[in-house]
Amino acid sequence: MSYAWDDINNVYSPPSFKVDRGSRLNITLQVDKKIDEISLRVLEELFRFWTFPLDGKEMKPYKVTTFTMNGDTIQVSLTVLKKKE
């Protein structure tokens, strides 16, 4: 399976509200066709274990509370654990 990634600046804009610890975010991904089970698991793992480096540590900024796929739509709900600007 191949992926075509759009320019993030054309498909994403930052939230219009303040994101703090405990904030809940919902992400909806619309795909052009259903993703196979293995690719869906890889995508879910990416959301569940993604971190970023900060001050020599790996930061886990959120916890995935739900990850579901229904047809061509993937729904992900996140709870913000930490915020450091």
Side-chain angles (χ1 to χ4, degrees):
M1 175 180 280
S2 64
Y3 296 95
W5 302 100
D6 291 318
D7 180 0
I8 192 71
N9 295 320
N10 293 331
V11 296
Y12 171 79
S13 57
S16 59
F17 54 89
K18 187 173 180 181
V19 177
D20 287 320
R21 184 178 182 171
S23 294
R24 294 187 179 151
L25 308 173
N26 295 312
I27 299 171
T28 301
L29 302 171
Q30 189 85 32
V31 295
D32 62 354
K33 62 181 178 179
K34 188 172 181 176
I35 296 175
D36 65 82
E37 187 177 333
I38 292 173
S39 296
L40 188 62
R41 278 192 257 152
V42 169
L43 184 59
E44 182 176 4
E45 295 294 305
L46 174 67
F47 273 102
R48 289 196 185 278
F49 297 106
W50 181 81
T51 62
F52 65 93
L54 180 67
D55 298 331
K57 299 178 183 176
E58 289 295 315
M59 303 298 293
K60 183 169 177 56
Y62 59 80
K63 176 183 178 183
V64 174
T65 53
T66 62
F67 184 96
T68 58
M69 181 168 190
N70 186 7
D72 63 351
T73 303
I74 299 169
Q75 294 282 334
V76 185
S77 296
L78 312 170
T79 301
V80 176
L81 300 175
K82 299 177 182 170
K83 181 171 184 208
K84 187 170 185 176
E85 296 179 332

